[in-house]
């Protein structure tokens, strides 16, 4: 029996993708000895209203540009192909059905872990994926430790702390800087910035 591949999932709107996303994924890859990371832009997240000024095609293109030079980062259009609101539980069901030879490691921030019980079918999510959670700062807080223990005990879940340096970069701040005519240099890959300016994104 062949050993299952360990695949990380880095989801998000990526509007736009930045160095914070890339560093988190790279840290997960090395810390948990993963075989690869899927970067998966979400289509219509139920929890966030998407701006109409940037298309799905633009967000996907920026992700593909950002990860193109990393051989263990891979683009996934899994959620973009689905109609309507996208839910993590449906994504994991589709992936585990299509690729039963893979174990999935879902990367998320501490804020998401605190709210995961409000997600659709949290028990199913926690049964289909190992959760890799990144805190704020590079130490494990008491509150986050308590939340991990609570979820592990309630759902028999596997949740691990992702010891990643935290870059205080946000997509919303990058969008604000572009609107204000401020520099976005060193916040995201130069090639992504070039794409943004060439396509006049986030100006209004």
């Amino acid at each position: 029996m062949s050993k299952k591949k360990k695949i990380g999932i880095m989801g998000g709107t990526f509007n736009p993708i930045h160095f914070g996303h890339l560093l988190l994924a790279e840290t997960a890859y090395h810390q948990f000895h993963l075989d690869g990371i899927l970067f998966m832009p979400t289509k219509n997240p139920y929890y966030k209203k998407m701006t109409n000024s940037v298309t799905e095609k633009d967000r996907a293109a920026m992700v593909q540009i950002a990860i193109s030079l990393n051989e263990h980062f891979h683009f996934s259009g899994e959620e973009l192909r689905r109609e309507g609101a996208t839910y993590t539980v449906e994504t994991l069901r589709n992936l585990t059905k299509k690729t039963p030879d893979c174990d999935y490691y879902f990367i998320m921030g501490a804020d998401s872990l605190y709210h995961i019980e409000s997600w659709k079918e949290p028990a199913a999510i926690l049964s289909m994926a190992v959760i890799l959670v990144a805190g704020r700062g590079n130490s494990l807080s008491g509150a986050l430790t308590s939340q991990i223990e609570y979820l592990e005990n309630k759902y028999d879940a596997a949740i691990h702390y992702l010891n990643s340096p935290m870059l205080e970069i946000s997509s919303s701040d990058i969008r604000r800087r572009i609107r204000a005519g401020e520099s976005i240099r060193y916040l995201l890959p130069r090639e992504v910035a070039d794409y943004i300016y060439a396509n006049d994104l986030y100006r209004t």
Side-chain angles (χ1 to χ4, degrees):
M1 184 174 175
S2 60
K3 185 180 176 184
K4 284 191 171 186
K5 286 186 176 180
K6 297 164 65 176
I7 304 297
I9 298 175
M10 185 77 191
T13 51
F14 300 121
N15 192 25
I17 191 169
H18 55 67
F19 282 133
H21 299 127
L22 298 167
L23 178 59
L24 199 58
E26 181 72 2
T27 302
Y29 174 80
H30 288 285
Q31 186 179 339
F32 294 94
H33 309 289
L34 304 181
D35 293 295
I37 304 275
L38 297 179
F39 277 76
M40 191 179 294
T42 190
K43 187 180 181 72
N44 296 306
Y46 70 92
Y47 57 86
K48 186 183 292 187
K49 181 171 170 33
M50 292 294 294
T51 175
N52 293 324
S53 64
V54 176
T55 66
E56 291 172 11
K57 183 179 176 183
D58 287 323
R59 292 190 292 119
M62 288 187 283
V63 170
Q64 289 170 307
I65 290 167
I67 68 175
S68 63
L69 297 180
N70 190 322
E71 68 280 356
H72 50 259
F73 286 174
H74 310 284
F75 178 82
S76 171
E78 175 70 33
E79 294 198 342
L80 293 179
R81 289 191 288 268
R82 296 210 306 271
E83 293 302 320
T86 50
Y87 295 95
T88 299
V89 68
E90 294 167 3
T91 299
L92 288 170
R93 281 202 180 107
N94 288 346
L95 289 174
T96 53
K97 185 177 179 179
K98 288 193 296 188
T99 53
D101 60 332
C102 295
D103 285 330
Y104 288 100
Y105 291 70
F106 195 89
I107 302 164
M108 66 171 64
D111 292 346
S112 294
L113 192 71
Y114 288 126
H115 296 105
I116 196 168
E117 287 190 293
S118 68
W119 293 18
K120 184 179 179 181
E121 299 183 57
I125 293 170
L126 293 166
S127 72
M128 289 186 286
V130 175
I131 304 298
L132 305 182
V133 59
R136 295 200 173 275
N138 46 18
S139 62
L140 186 54
S141 71
L144 186 54
T145 299
S146 296
Q147 179 69 357
I148 290 171
E149 290 177 354
Y150 161 72
L151 292 170
E152 285 186 327
N153 291 330
K154 182 175 179 178
Y155 297 100
D156 193 26
I159 304 171
H160 301 292
Y161 182 66
L162 186 51
N163 191 20
S164 175
M166 295 302 292
L167 298 182
E168 292 297 324
I169 302 173
S170 72
S171 297
S172 59
D173 183 58
I174 291 171
R175 298 194 299 269
R176 180 200 63 76
R177 285 169 177 266
I178 293 168
R179 288 194 301 272
E182 298 174 10
S183 173
I184 58 171
R185 195 174 185 182
Y186 306 124
L187 297 176
L188 71 179
R190 179 182 58 79
E191 295 83 0
V192 176
D194 289 345
Y195 181 94
I196 289 170
Y197 292 130
N199 291 279
D200 204 28
L201 305 183
Y202 307 119
R203 297 282 191 180
T204 56

